[in-house]
Each structure stands twice: as C-alpha cells, then as structure tokens.
C-alpha cells in the first residue's frame, strides 16, 4: 500500500480483521491518505464493488479449513473485475507451521495455482522473509490474472 500511494494510486482499500492492524497502517500513512479502511473478516465480507488488483501477503494461509478457503476464493472472485489480477504470498512448504501462535497452511506455487482455477499464472517466486525479530519465514509468491475465454471458446 505504501508503495502504491507513493506512485500516486488513489483508489486503494485495505481490509483486515483487526482494528489494531488497521490503526497501525493508518497511522503510518496518515489520515489523509486516499485509502478505504475495511475492518472485515475476509471470509464473510461482501464486496460492494470490483477491484483491479487483489493483494494478500500472509492472510490466506491462516485459513486452515476447506470451507474458509473456499469462501475466501469465492469472495476474491466476486471482488475482482473480469480482467482482475491477484498477487498472493503464503508461507512456503518449508515455512513455519504456526504464526502468531496460530496454525497455518503452507503452500507451493503449484498448490496455489490449483486453487486459483480460472486464473492464468503470470509469475511465481520465493522470498526468505525476515521478521522484525530476525526470524526467516520462507514465502511462496504468485501473480495471476483472470483467464480470458477466447472468442472461439465453447464452439464445437
Ligand atoms: C501476518 S499478518 C500480515 C499483515 C500484512 N498483510 C502484511 O503482509 O504485513 C496477517 C494478518 O491477517 C489478518 N487476518 C487473519 N485472518 C483474517 C481474516 N479472516 N480476515 C481478515 N484478516 C485476517 C490478521 O488480523 C493479520 O493482520
């Protein structure tokens, strides 16, 4: 978000379950930053509009049951426009098994690609994220766009 603001983007929304997390981010960028702050559970959120880009670092991996994951992916599809793109980072398969005391699911790029049915992968990557406390947390990154049906799709 900070980098998008620095580049002049003005249609930004930040969603988190935690009002404390939102307050910290809001304090960092200032009250006048053109950001909509949404205190919502991503699995129950009902987006009122569509977005060009969905960016999630280290949220999806907290959803460890199939129903929550399915709901997240459904919400993401609702929130993205027909040419929407998604950038996601989760803990990698050799990443930590817990985060902030909570169990997490870990993914390789192939597993995320399977979950993002209907999206075309643009890029995948790995990051050795280092926490402020100096702990290394391997992340899997993916970028994908909504797959466009070709003009001939569906014809015999
Ligand atoms: C590890 S932090 C990552 C924060 C930020 N995305 C970043 O990369 O710095 C995970 C965040 O996910 C949020 N979170 C966890 N479950 C959530 C849910 N169901 N809906 C919305 N936010 C959730 C937590 O409140 C927390 O702020």
């Amino acid at each position: 978000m900070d980098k998008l603001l620095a580049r002049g983007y003005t249609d930004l929304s930040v969603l988190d379950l935690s009002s404390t997390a939102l307050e910290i981010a809001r304090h960092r960028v200032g009250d006048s930053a053109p950001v909509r702050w949404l205190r919502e559970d991503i699995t129950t959120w009902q987006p009122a509009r569509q977005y060009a880009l969905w960016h999630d670092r280290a949220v999806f991996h907290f959803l460890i049951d199939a129903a929550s994951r399915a709901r997240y992916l459904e919400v993401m599809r609702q929130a993205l426009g027909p040419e929407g793109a998604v950038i996601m980072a989760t803990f990698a398969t050799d990443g930590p098994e817990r985060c902030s005391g909570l169990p997490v699911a870990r993914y390789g790029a192939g597993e995320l690609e399977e979950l993002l049915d209907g999206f075309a992968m643009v890029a995948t990557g790995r990051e050795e994220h280092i926490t402020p406390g100096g702990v290394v947390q391997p992340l899997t990154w993916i970028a994908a766009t909504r797959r466009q049906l070709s003009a001939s799709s569906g014809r015999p």
Side-chain angles (χ1 to χ4, degrees):
M1 170 192 55
D2 307 46
K3 288 183 179 166
L4 293 175
L5 285 170
R7 287 179 182 214
Y9 286 86
T10 55
D11 183 9
L12 299 171
S13 299
V14 172
L15 180 149
D16 202 290
L17 190 58
S18 155
S19 50
T20 305
L22 292 173
E23 269 314 305
I24 291 169
R26 188 175 186 149
H27 183 70
R28 193 174 68 231
V29 298
D31 280 342
S32 61
V35 177
R36 287 181 204 88
W37 303 99
L38 307 171
R39 203 195 69 73
E40 300 279 354
D41 182 331
I42 195 62
T43 62
T44 55
W45 181 47
Q46 297 188 321
R49 51 163 289 193
Q50 290 196 309
Y51 299 84
L53 176 66
W54 176 280
H55 184 282
D56 169 355
R57 185 180 72 167
V59 178
F60 182 68
H61 64 208
F62 281 107
L63 307 178
I64 56 168
D65 64 282
S68 300
R69 276 196 294 266
R71 181 65 194 136
Y72 173 106
L73 293 168
E74 192 183 321
V75 170
M76 187 188 75
R77 285 189 170 84
Q78 281 170 16
L80 277 177
E83 295 181 9
V86 53
I87 298 173
M88 276 176 77
T90 65
F91 281 165
T93 49
D94 60 342
E97 292 177 7
R98 303 180 80 81
C99 184
S100 305
L102 297 170
V104 297
R106 302 180 295 171
Y107 298 92
E111 290 161 287
L112 291 176
E113 182 171 4
E114 270 179 36
L115 288 169
L116 291 172
D117 186 33
F119 286 76
M121 285 297 132
V122 175
T124 62
R126 175 182 167 89
E127 177 191 353
E128 305 273 325
H129 174 69
I130 299 173
T131 68
V135 177
V136 178
Q137 295 180 330
L139 297 177
T140 297
W141 281 95
I142 60 99
T145 55
R146 254 196 155 145
R147 192 178 286 132
Q148 298 298 305
L149 295 174
S150 71
S152 61
S153 170
R155 288 183 193 161

